[in-house]
Amino acid sequence: MSVLIDREGGIPAWQLGRTMFQYLGVFKIAGQPRVVPRLAETLAPVVAEMVAHQMDGFVYMGTPARGAAVARALAQTGFSGIRVFGYPAAGPEFLTVAGSAADGWQIFAPYIDPSAAPVRAFATAYRKRYGSAPPCWAAEAYDVARMVITRLTEAGGRPSGNRLYDLLQKGTYKGLVRTYAFDKDYRWWLKSSDVFRSEVKDGRYSYEGKVGI
């Protein structure tokens, strides 16, 4: 598995790339990491060099625009293996700049796609209210806001910060996406570590389901 970490993507690209490479080691999958600087004018030579090692998968961690350039360069090599890119690069720009080369790329993200069945009613209401499709993280933001509002309603007034912390710590809250809770130190945690997979099909992000880790 080839893992290309683009410093243009900043700390998120580095963290995701490092985590990916660690997981490859855990599952004993051969990995080929490469790091490219922000000042690199083109990534095509790096892509071609990595493909020459005949890995069966390619991972890109960086930005939407540079990810699109990588997708086009990879398509020119005839590579047909698994293609994955880090979710910070999964923006509209990736689709428009990469064109047909975007098809087949997969994203594993901590946020659910707004088109997914569990949040479809929320997405419909969002479009009606704001006139556009909800962005990434919108459903998760809705869940957290509703959790706080629910606890405030239970308080029956305007609780102090400490009282609100106590209320949040009480039990769990089941949202549209996940079940949320706080531990005794008021640290927020999740009842599951699911990630969500999408794939680019016909120039659009298509939600493919939940993946447990």
Side-chain angles (χ1 to χ4, degrees):
M1 180 75 73
S2 296
V3 182
L4 179 57
I5 302 171
D6 186 354
R7 289 189 181 275
E8 181 69 19
I11 293 175
W14 170 253
Q15 290 178 329
L16 287 171
R18 185 172 182 272
T19 300
M20 169 63 75
F21 199 68
Q22 288 176 329
Y23 272 115
L24 293 179
V26 170
F27 292 106
K28 301 187 185 306
I29 299 173
Q32 177 203 12
R34 287 292 303 274
V35 179
V36 293
R38 286 188 174 92
L39 298 179
E41 294 184 0
T42 176
L43 303 184
V46 177
V47 171
E49 179 185 339
M50 296 177 77
V51 170
H53 287 274
Q54 299 183 340
M55 293 288 183
D56 56 4
F58 195 100
V59 179
Y60 172 77
M61 302 296 183
T63 66
R66 301 245 290 194
V70 167
R72 293 198 310 271
L74 197 61
Q76 290 175 358
T77 69
F79 181 83
S80 59
I82 298 170
R83 288 151 290 162
V84 177
F85 61 107
Y87 64 88
E93 189 177 5
F94 177 83
L95 301 179
T96 56
V97 177
S100 61
D103 284 358
W105 281 80
Q106 300 183 60
I107 313 114
F108 294 85
Y111 54 78
I112 195 168
D113 188 282
S115 68
V119 296
R120 198 164 291 156
F122 162 76
T124 299
Y126 187 100
R127 288 190 185 90
K128 183 177 180 180
R129 175 66 177 82
Y130 297 104
S132 62
C136 298
W137 296 109
E140 287 78 9
Y142 174 82
D143 274 352
V144 174
R146 290 293 301 173
M147 176 176 65
V148 174
I149 291 170
T150 298
R151 297 298 185 244
L152 288 173
T153 301
E154 291 172 355
R158 300 180 64 178
S160 65
N162 288 337
R163 175 58 178 155
L164 177 58
Y165 288 149
D166 290 337
L167 290 168
L168 288 171
Q169 188 188 46
K170 182 185 67 175
T172 60
Y173 178 80
K174 183 175 177 56
L176 297 176
V177 183
R178 291 188 175 92
T179 298
Y180 303 81
F182 285 81
D183 64 15
K184 61 182 179 62
D185 296 317
Y186 306 119
R187 290 177 300 193
W188 178 23
W189 59 288
L190 305 173
K191 287 290 187 178
S192 66
S193 300
D194 297 319
V195 296
F196 305 94
R197 184 174 75 89
S198 296
E199 183 176 341
V200 181
K201 295 181 178 180
D202 297 324
R204 300 177 61 185
Y205 294 114
S206 173
Y207 177 68
E208 299 298 318
K210 183 167 60 175
V211 180
I213 59 173

